[in-house]
Amino acid sequence: MGRGKLRIYLGAAPGVGKTYAMLSEAHRRAERGTDVVVGLVEHHRRPRTEALLRGLEVVPRRTRAYRGGSFAEMDLDAVLERAPAVVLVDELAHTNVPGSRHGKRWQDVEELLAAGIDVVSTVNIQHLASLGDVVESITGVRQRETVPDEVVRRADQIELVDMAPQALRRRMAHGNIYQPEKLDAALAHYFRPGNLTALRELALLWTADRVDEHLRRYRGEHRIRATWPARERIVVGLTGGPEGSTLIRRAARLAEKGAGGEVLAVHIAASEGLRAASPRELARQRALVEEVGGTFHHVIGDDVPSALLEFARGADATQVVLGASRRRSWQYLLGPGVSATVARDSGPDLDVHIVTHDAVARGRGLPAARGARLGRARVAWGWGVGLGGPLLLTLLLGGVLPDVGLANDMLLFLTATVAAALLGGMLPALASAAAGSVLLNYFFTPPLREPAVADPRNVVALVIFVGVAVSVASVVDLAARRTHQAARLRAESEILSFLAGSVLRGEDSLDALLARLRETFAMEAVALLERGDGAPWSRVAAAGQEPPRRPEDAAVEIPAGDGLALVLSGRALPAEDRRVLSAFAAQAAVALDRQRLVGQAGEARRLAESERFRTALLAAVSHDLRTPLTGIKASVSSLRSAEVEWSREDRAALLEGIEDGADRLDALIGNLLDMSRLTTGTVVPLLRETGLDEVVPRALAGVPEGTVVLDVPESLPLVTVDRGLLERVVANLVENAVKYSPGDRPVLISAGSLRDRVELRVVDRGPGVPDASKEQIFEPFQRLGDAPRGAGVGLGLAVARGFTEALRATLTAEDTPGGGLTMVLGLPRADAGEASGQRA
């Protein structure tokens, strides 16, 4: 059985018609004879959506109990047993009730797809995990129910359900989305035209990226090389020089002119030795690219123009931005340069922009990374001049300029030898000297065209020629090598300085360090391997594609410490690179140790906190739990005593004492268990839209009558909370307030709406708390002032704070005017995006 297909209707906001479109598609398939069932559809009492459910088979939901309530979820087992061809599952990002097989509805969908069942689902753009921060900045609401982007990207079909903001607002005004009591607030806040336009743009851009993925895959499968200008993609060629910032900003301006423009910055590194670019400058340019919303890419290639064009065509780019050459005029004799070559070979489908900058024609400076060797191209030119120069001079002097004299002939041949030395070093110069001496002797020294030399003075001249040529070649070659060695040392010192600076700044990202190493040496992949005593090698961190898993699989291996090895795959590096590699290896070992020390410190803090909790718990158990147990035991023993005949009133009093002690024990144990859950991080709230007027009265069930005055209007906005957790929070706050408030001054519970939250205030008239202790009272096992030992273990407020944080709410303590303490509980409104202020 094959995997099922997933179709998703994606919308920018509630009410655009995703569920309606899904149900319409179900009716179309059913009319074609497809076996379609409804696994779960949320119609939200929208009449037109609800009407579309008629005529479709609906799998009954499964009801689950949680915290005193019942919740209807999709019956996954029933759908699997029914095994339809297609099932409708609404709201892909929904969180299932605790106790369900999967925590998220998209995980239920994955199981259905694995069973070979096609699924049609819906999701809003704000529920994609990667867009949480962006949506929060637009609406002021942090989406708690999210779905991983990859789940949606893997869908076989994604259909955007789009609607103009004005049309959506008209739908709302007609009552097709929200109930009348919510309509005005929704239109005035969350569903404002500006918010809807921004969310719509997010949905369109995300869908466009998904289309781009399909387009790239299609072009790759069909080997299409021509550019399809569906959107502006601008490639910026960076050399690591000072002009990079200018090019990036220019490309960003070009991208802004076209809808959905994209900037891709690329640095082409040679595949030999250290790269010529400054690591510090490239790091700054990478940061600038990310700041303008672009992406940075690192490509290895010896032929820069070809590699740049290949990257641009592979990315389906429409424009290339390059800087005007920094070459000096005489350097154009060596070739046209990168910019001119790219412009010449770009073809008609790729526009090339040559941007001027301050460093034009000022020279590229010394190569910072060629090492002691001359480059391949330069050596090739040296051999060409060394061997071809004497031959050309022979033809020229023999046919065009005869009889210029042996001395002038020797000077011209010596010039060719010096040129070979300048370009290619010692060996091309020696070859030029040897070839020149032979040609001078045979063609220009009497007797002509014979290997003998008649005049002894000419013998001396030839010997001097060879000696001068060799001497000049050696001096020029030595100077060139010293120059490149100095440049290499400068590059090495810059890299080592950068590494030292990263240590001082406390940068401990091992992955970033390995990525920088791979780019510096233009390697395919880098990995840090570790091996214990007798254990196989394991990979600690890596950068690049297919990093080595064993040292023997790598091209280069550098020891990084006891049981550690830094390995690189790609080409073999020269011995002089090992000094810098060793520095990287040492820094990688330090970064690994720092990461592990940070983890151990965190674990130590957790253990210390756990130990403190256990110690305080033992102290609490030794007294606070034994006190009610002692009372219960005494009352039970008295009731069971056969020696005393208890009156009805006495028996009632003893039973009341047993009940009070049991209640105290239940509250203490409940708080201890709640604190244990908070400490271990196992509190998972089930967030629902709830009215405070429904929760607060239930939290006062155990409070003595007449000790609390309740002022919670029914007209308050709904809040998004877990009802059970909120009830425990309110109960603990009220219990603490009643404990410290005078008997004749009841505790006041009031609530009101303030911008994007609803505030619940628990006001007592007790002794109050000093400002310095207002945070301390929320710590476990804290009891301030003269609280009696039997007043509890000091966990009530700690549990309330912990549950509040789990609800993404706030709990603070303030002074009550006239004396006392006010606990302020700030809860997120269900329509927080609508109440977050003027954002449109």
Side-chain angles (χ1 to χ4, degrees):
M1 183 191 315
R3 180 179 172 85
K5 296 184 180 299
L6 175 61
R7 180 189 182 105
I8 292 179
Y9 288 92
L10 176 69
V16 295
K18 303 179 302 300
T19 305
Y20 191 93
M22 178 179 67
L23 291 171
S24 300
E25 174 66 17
H27 279 286
R28 285 193 293 270
R29 296 195 184 194
E31 290 172 359
R32 296 196 299 265
T34 306
D35 183 15
V36 182
V37 302
V38 176
L40 187 144
V41 167
E42 300 285 2
H43 55 73
H44 299 292
R45 293 187 291 176
R46 295 167 186 166
R48 296 186 178 182
T49 305
E50 194 172 3
L52 277 179
L53 281 170
R54 299 168 190 162
L56 295 175
E57 179 184 348
V58 179
V59 177
R61 301 190 188 186
R62 182 173 182 177
T63 302
R64 295 186 180 276
Y66 181 70
R67 294 190 177 277
S70 59
F71 304 92
E73 297 283 9
M74 181 177 67
D75 193 339
L76 179 60
D77 292 326
V79 175
L80 291 171
E81 183 178 356
R82 171 65 174 75
V86 181
V87 61
L88 309 185
V89 182
D90 208 0
E91 297 184 1
L92 189 64
H94 172 77
T95 300
N96 292 330
V97 177
S100 303
R101 185 185 309 174
H102 302 297
K104 292 286 190 177
R105 188 167 291 166
W106 64 263
Q107 295 172 318
D108 295 338
V109 169
E110 287 292 319
E111 185 169 346
L112 292 172
L113 294 172
I117 300 174
D118 292 349
V119 178
V120 183
S121 187
T122 65
V123 70
N124 279 333
I125 193 67
Q126 60 262 35
H127 293 298
L128 296 181
S130 67
L131 300 178
D133 294 337
V134 179
V135 173
E136 183 178 13
S137 67
I138 295 171
T139 65
V141 180
R142 182 70 181 186
Q143 296 294 332
R144 298 179 179 87
E145 290 192 328
T146 60
V147 59
D149 289 45
E150 184 59 29
V151 173
V152 182
R153 287 183 181 277
R154 286 201 306 264
D156 299 276
Q157 298 180 59
I158 297 178
E159 183 171 332
L160 179 65
V161 183
D162 191 24
M163 181 176 289
Q166 293 78 9
L168 180 57
R169 285 169 59 84
R170 283 197 299 270
R171 285 195 65 196
M172 292 191 62
H174 294 158
N176 294 329
I177 300 177
Y178 280 166
Q179 299 303 312
E181 60 271 15
K182 297 182 181 180
L183 184 58
D184 292 338
L187 286 172
H189 296 95
Y190 187 85
F191 284 83
R192 298 175 63 185
N195 290 356
L196 294 176
T197 301
L199 291 174
R200 187 187 188 199
E201 182 182 17
L202 275 181
L204 290 170
L205 290 177
W206 194 92
T207 308
D209 287 339
R210 168 77 165 138
V211 173
D212 286 342
E213 292 178 10
H214 283 294
L215 182 60
R216 283 194 293 268
R217 189 180 306 117
Y218 178 86
R219 285 164 54 86
E221 292 173 353
H222 293 79
R223 298 181 180 180
I224 299 173
R225 303 293 295 171
T227 299
W228 289 359
R231 63 185 293 191
E232 293 293 338
R233 285 190 179 85
I234 302 170
V235 171
V236 186
L238 299 179
T239 64
E243 76 281 1
S245 300
T246 302
L247 302 183
I248 293 169
R249 292 189 175 93
R250 179 61 182 275
R253 290 195 296 271
L254 290 173
E256 290 174 357
K257 295 179 180 178
E262 184 180 358
V263 176
L264 300 91
V266 59
H267 171 66
I268 311 295
S271 62
E272 55 175 273
L274 297 174
R275 69 179 180 204
S278 165
R280 183 179 291 105
E281 185 64 29
L282 270 182
R284 283 196 291 264
Q285 292 175 10
R286 180 197 293 266
L288 179 59
V289 170
E290 295 172 352
E291 183 179 331
V292 300
T295 56
F296 185 91
H297 304 268
H298 180 82
V299 175
I300 299 173
D302 291 323
D303 189 346
V304 175
S306 298
L308 184 61
L309 288 172
E310 183 178 355
F311 174 84
R313 292 191 176 105
D316 201 23
T318 57
Q319 302 181 55
V320 175
V321 175
L322 299 173
S325 179
R326 286 183 281 137
R327 288 180 166 194
R328 298 188 187 276
S329 301
W330 64 268
Q331 291 178 306
Y332 283 98
L333 297 174
L334 303 177
V338 173
S339 301
T341 304
V342 170
R344 182 193 65 199
D345 298 340
S346 60
D349 55 350
L350 194 60
D351 297 335
V352 179
H353 301 265
I354 308 297
V355 180
T356 59
H357 50 85
D358 295 337
V360 172
R362 293 188 178 181
R364 299 180 61 88
L366 292 174
R370 287 289 186 173
R373 302 179 307 276
L374 301 174
R376 294 178 182 175
R378 186 167 172 176
V379 171
W381 275 99
W383 279 104
V385 171
L387 297 178
L391 294 175
L392 290 176
L393 284 174
T394 300
L395 295 176
L396 180 65
L397 296 175
V400 180
L401 299 172
D403 301 327
V404 297
L406 181 60
N408 291 328
D409 294 338
M410 288 185 175
L411 288 176
L412 291 173
F413 275 90
L414 182 60
T415 301
T417 301
V418 171
L422 287 171
L423 289 172
M426 175 66 76
L427 292 180
L430 291 178
S432 178
S437 62
V438 171
L439 293 173
L440 279 170
N441 178 37
Y442 191 78
F443 290 101
F444 304 102
T445 304
L448 299 180
R449 303 185 186 280
E450 292 184 11
V453 180
D455 191 343
R457 290 175 298 179
N458 291 338
V459 175
V460 175
L462 288 173
V463 172
I464 294 175
F465 165 78
V466 174
V468 170
V470 172
S471 300
V472 171
S474 62
V475 170
V476 171
D477 179 71
L478 181 61
R481 291 181 181 275
R482 291 290 183 264
T483 299
H484 286 284
Q485 286 174 353
R488 178 186 180 82
L489 291 176
R490 186 185 69 183
E492 290 183 2
S493 64
E494 185 175 276
I495 293 171
L496 295 175
S497 174
F498 190 78
L499 288 176
S502 66
V503 174
L504 295 176
R505 291 188 298 268
E507 298 176 357
D508 55 0
S509 175
L510 187 56
D511 292 335
L513 178 68
L514 296 184
R516 189 180 303 126
L517 170 61
R518 185 184 71 86
E519 292 181 4
T520 299
F521 288 92
M523 301 298 284
E524 296 177 0
V526 180
L528 183 64
L529 306 180
E530 185 178 29
R531 180 174 63 180
D533 296 336
W537 288 99
S538 62
R539 198 163 58 200
V540 178
Q545 298 181 349
E546 299 182 1
R549 294 185 176 276
R550 299 178 303 171
E552 50 266 31
D553 298 335
V556 181
E557 175 189 0
I558 300 293
D562 295 338
L564 291 174
L566 186 67
V567 294
L568 302 89
S569 63
R571 58 189 174 79
L573 294 178
E576 56 265 28
D577 286 343
R578 296 186 69 88
R579 179 168 56 250
V580 179
L581 283 173
S582 298
F584 270 104
Q587 175 67 2
V590 170
L592 178 61
D593 289 341
R594 186 183 296 118
Q595 285 183 357
R596 290 177 172 175
L597 287 174
V598 170
Q600 291 172 4
E603 182 65 25
R605 284 193 297 271
R606 288 190 294 270
L607 290 175
E609 183 67 22
S610 178
E611 184 63 27
R612 188 174 73 87
F613 180 80
R614 283 195 295 269
T615 302
L617 177 62
L618 290 174
V621 170
S622 65
H623 184 279
D624 297 283
L625 293 182
R626 294 180 61 183
T627 300
L629 282 174
T630 301
I632 294 172
K633 179 67 168 60
S635 298
V636 172
S637 298
S638 299
L639 287 173
R640 295 189 61 190
S641 175
E643 301 176 359
V644 181
E645 184 67 29
W646 301 102
S647 65
R648 179 177 299 178
E649 292 77 7
D650 292 337
R651 293 178 63 86
L654 290 172
L655 289 173
E656 184 178 357
I658 293 174
E659 185 177 12
D660 290 343
D663 289 341
R664 289 175 59 189
L665 273 178
D666 180 65
L668 290 172
I669 292 174
N671 278 335
L672 288 172
L673 291 176
D674 288 339
M675 198 64 214
S676 176
R677 291 170 59 204
L678 289 169
T679 303
T680 56
T682 57
V683 176
V684 181
L686 179 62
L687 302 177
R688 295 281 193 240
E689 293 186 3
T690 305
L692 283 181
D693 57 309
E694 301 175 6
V695 178
V696 175
R698 296 172 57 184
L700 306 180
V703 178
E705 188 175 352
T707 58
V708 175
V709 175
L710 188 60
D711 181 18
V712 179
E714 295 183 1
S715 59
L716 282 174
L718 299 179
V719 293
T720 304
V721 295
D722 183 304
R723 295 185 180 184
L725 295 184
L726 178 59
E727 183 179 334
R728 291 300 304 275
V729 170
V730 176
N732 283 5
L733 294 179
V734 173
E735 179 186 356
N736 185 76
V738 170
K739 185 188 306 179
Y740 289 99
S741 191
D744 58 341
R745 305 291 299 274
V747 172
L748 173 63
I749 302 178
S750 63
S753 177
L754 180 63
R755 296 193 63 175
D756 59 346
R757 68 183 187 277
V758 174
E759 282 192 353
L760 182 72
R761 306 175 76 89
V762 181
V763 183
D764 69 58
R765 295 293 180 176
V769 175
D771 290 340
S773 302
K774 281 189 170 61
E775 281 299 313
Q776 184 181 352
I777 61 176
F778 294 108
E779 297 180 4
F781 306 105
Q782 295 294 324
R783 289 178 296 189
L784 303 182
D786 56 354
R789 289 295 300 174
V793 295
L795 285 178
L797 294 182
V799 170
R801 170 65 72 84
F803 282 172
T804 300
E805 293 175 349
L807 294 173
R808 306 276 181 93
T810 59
L811 177 60
T812 56
E814 299 178 356
D815 290 329
T816 301
L821 188 68
T822 298
M823 291 292 182
V824 182
L825 179 62
L827 301 168
R829 287 174 52 164
D831 56 352
E834 306 164 17
S836 59
Q838 304 297 319
R839 294 180 179 271

